[in-house]
């Protein structure tokens, strides 16, 4: 599998004046996977993806995409990659279908973009001017433009930023669909939930360095963090009856609210059985799993929000 | 190549969707014609060497269209394309930056030419416009004048940090030039000293060359204008290429 890296980044460095945006990072992206660059704003995600796209010239290290150097061999590379950029736009009065028609014509091979319109839910707005599109429609159009020449690698930079939760879910399905077509996807996001749902592997960036690299599940597991169960109870819960369960490590009771900490996947079953066995009624029962958010917190000592301020 | 043609076609359609651009390029010169033509008519007049007001003014009004395209349209739209991230997005495609510039120039060149053509047709029909030169000579003067001014428009876009600044700089260049270059007010109406100073305005040379060509004078009589405009074109293109930024 290691031989099938379609993107190789080795000791990449990029400096803007006094700021080192990317500080000697290395990773590889395998063919067919969804690879995420995650971290707070300013961590170096966009700089990294733009070095892969050839939009930025690295100050050090090596970037290889499909065996090509994005700087020197951009002409050969550009037809084989498609991208959506964080800060870009189209002409205000350009219509959706005209944008697709134009971008398709810029590539050597001609692609039928009509099905793309349907697939991305843009068929109804095909005559709408770019400026009149909603945020979600604009993002979907940019995805369509990234796919219009049937590229091997699709690079998406903060695709869901600015979208409402519903729009975000729609885009997630779309990304999963793109992967099904056998394409490799590299994306950046500062939404940890998005990375957990979508990415096969992630590189967690902080201040230009990779602080963790692996599948979201593995990173969370390595954290060794406890899961939590939270529920509301009537007064008089015998703390010991829950605390003594094998999978439970700690129980907090704050007023009506009980928080049970523990490890194994059996914890939920054990707790539910213990409660109903003892005849306690409980409601608002939910579990809280550790997330990539916790991974970031553990590795950097700061939450994602604090990371942004740093 | 197919991409370049498509890009030009798109640019042309976008032009047609901006009513302001169409107005200043195609309609405004006609308004000038009917205003001045209405006041002064186009009767032969010794003051204009036996020609009419409209006959000697058409070249200036054409220069006005050229200046509008260069300093109001091109300078601002080129800077806006960069600022809004349109160029950034195009940069991911195999398109070359030259193609982006070429498409903008080509469309504006054609539209500006159309503006001149409409002006000439209307002047001919309504005021019996007299023409003693060769069409080829006029076309050549128009091309040199337009392209040299367009290259200055790109220089403004290239040096301006934002579209807003490009617009202000464009206007600062545009307004003195249209009034002092002879494009709207004949140079004959100016005092002797001023007539020397206005020669530093690039548009003055466009007006001079176009008027000469219109009146049937040879390019040899206008070597200064040809040299200045050619020089501006070369320098303008070099600076434009040097200052071109994708973002």
């Amino acid at each position: 599998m290691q031989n099938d890296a379609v993107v190789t980044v080795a000791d990449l460095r990029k400096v803007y004046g006094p700021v080192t945006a990317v500080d000697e990072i290395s990773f590889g992206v395998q063919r067919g996977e969804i690879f995420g660059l995650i971290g707070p704003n300013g961590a170096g995600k966009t700089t990294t993806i733009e070095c892969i796209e050839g939009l930025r010239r690295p100050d050090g290290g090596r970037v290889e995409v499909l065996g090509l150097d994005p700087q020197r061999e951009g002409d050969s590379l550009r037809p084989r990659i498609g991208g959506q950029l964080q800060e870009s736009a189209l002409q205000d009065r350009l219509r959706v279908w005209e944008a697709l028609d134009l971008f398709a014509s810029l590539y050597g091979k001609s692609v039928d973009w009509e099905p793309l319109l349907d697939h991305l839910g843009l068929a109804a707005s095909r005559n709408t001017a770019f400026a009149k599109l909603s945020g979600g429609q604009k993002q979907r159009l940019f995805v369509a433009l990234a796919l219009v020449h049937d590229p091997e690698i699709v690079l998406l930079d903060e695709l869901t930023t600015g979208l409402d939760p519903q729009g975000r879910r729609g885009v997630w399905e779309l990304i999963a669909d793109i992967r099904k077509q056998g394409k490799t996807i590299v994306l950046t996001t500062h939404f940890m939930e998005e990375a957990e749902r979508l990415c096969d592997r992630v590189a967690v960036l902080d201040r230009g360095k990779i602080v963790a690299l692996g599948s979201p599940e593995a990173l969370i597991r390595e954290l060794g963090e406890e899961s939590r169960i939270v529920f509301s109870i009537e007064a008089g819960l015998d703390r010991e009856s829950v605390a003594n369960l094998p999978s439970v490590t700690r129980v907090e009771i704050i007023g009506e609210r009980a928080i049970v900490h523990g490890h194994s996947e059996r914890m939920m079953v054990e707790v539910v059985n213990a409660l109903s066995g003892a005849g306690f009624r409980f409601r608002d029962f939910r579990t809280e799993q550790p997330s990539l958010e916790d991974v970031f917190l553990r590795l950097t000592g700061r939450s994602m929000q604090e990371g942004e301020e740093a | 190549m197919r991409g370049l043609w498509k890009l030009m076609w798109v640019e042309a359609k976008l032009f047609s969707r901006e009513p302001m651009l169409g107005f200043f390029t195609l309609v405004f010169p006609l308004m000038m014609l009917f205003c001045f033509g209405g006041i002064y008519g186009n009767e032969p007049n010794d003051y204009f060497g036996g020609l009419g007001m409209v006959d000697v003014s058409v070249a200036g009004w054409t220069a006005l269209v050229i200046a509008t395209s260069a300093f109001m349209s091109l300078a601002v739209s080129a800077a806006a394309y960069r600022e809004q991230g349109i160029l950034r997005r195009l940069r991911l495609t195999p398109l070359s930056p030259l193609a982006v510039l070429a498409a903008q120039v080509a469309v504006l060149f054609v539209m500006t030419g159309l503006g001149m053509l409409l002006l000439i047709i209307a002047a001919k029909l309504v005021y019996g416009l007299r023409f003693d030169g060769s069409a080829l000579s006029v076309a050549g003067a128009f091309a040199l004048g337009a392209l040299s001014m367009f290259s200055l428009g790109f220089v403004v876009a290239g040096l301006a940090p934002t579209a807003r600044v490009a617009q202000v700089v464009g206007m600062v260049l545009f307004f003195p030039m249209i009034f002092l270059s002879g494009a709207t007010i004949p140079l004959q109406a100016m005092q002797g000293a001023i007539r020397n100073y206005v020669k530093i305005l690039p548009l003055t040379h466009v007006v001079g060359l176009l008027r000469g060509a219109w009146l049937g004078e040879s390019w040899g009589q206008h070597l200064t204008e040809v040299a200045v405009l050619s020089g501006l074109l070369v320098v303008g293109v070099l600076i434009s290429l040097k200052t071109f930024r994708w973002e």
Side-chain angles (χ1 to χ4, degrees), chain A residues 50 87 93 98 101, chain B residues 6 13 17-18 88 91:
Chain A
E50 289 185 348
E87 281 165 32
R93 293 176 199 249
E98 290 169 338
D101 190 36
Chain B
K6 188 72 87 176
K13 282 202 274 191
R17 288 175 198 160
E18 297 282 353
R88 260 172 76 75
R91 192 179 171 196

Side-chain angles (χ1 to χ4, degrees), chain A residues 50 55-56 78 83 85 87-91 93-95 97-98 101-107 145, chain B residues 2-3 6-7 10-11 13-14 17-19 81 84-86 88-95 247:
Chain A
E50 289 185 348
L55 297 181
R56 306 227 173 270
R78 277 189 285 272
L85 303 174
E87 281 165 32
S88 71
L90 297 174
Q91 294 91 327
R93 293 176 199 249
L94 189 66
R95 294 180 183 145
W97 76 266
E98 290 169 338
D101 190 36
L102 171 64
F103 277 74
S105 76
L106 300 181
Y107 294 91
L145 296 181
Chain B
R2 192 168 66 101
K6 188 72 87 176
L7 192 60
V10 163
E11 286 290 330
K13 282 202 274 191
L14 291 173
R17 288 175 198 160
E18 297 282 353
Y81 270 36
Q84 290 168 7
I86 296 169
R88 260 172 76 75
R89 183 58 192 85
L90 286 172
R91 192 179 171 196
L92 272 187
T93 72
L95 195 69
E247 52 191 286

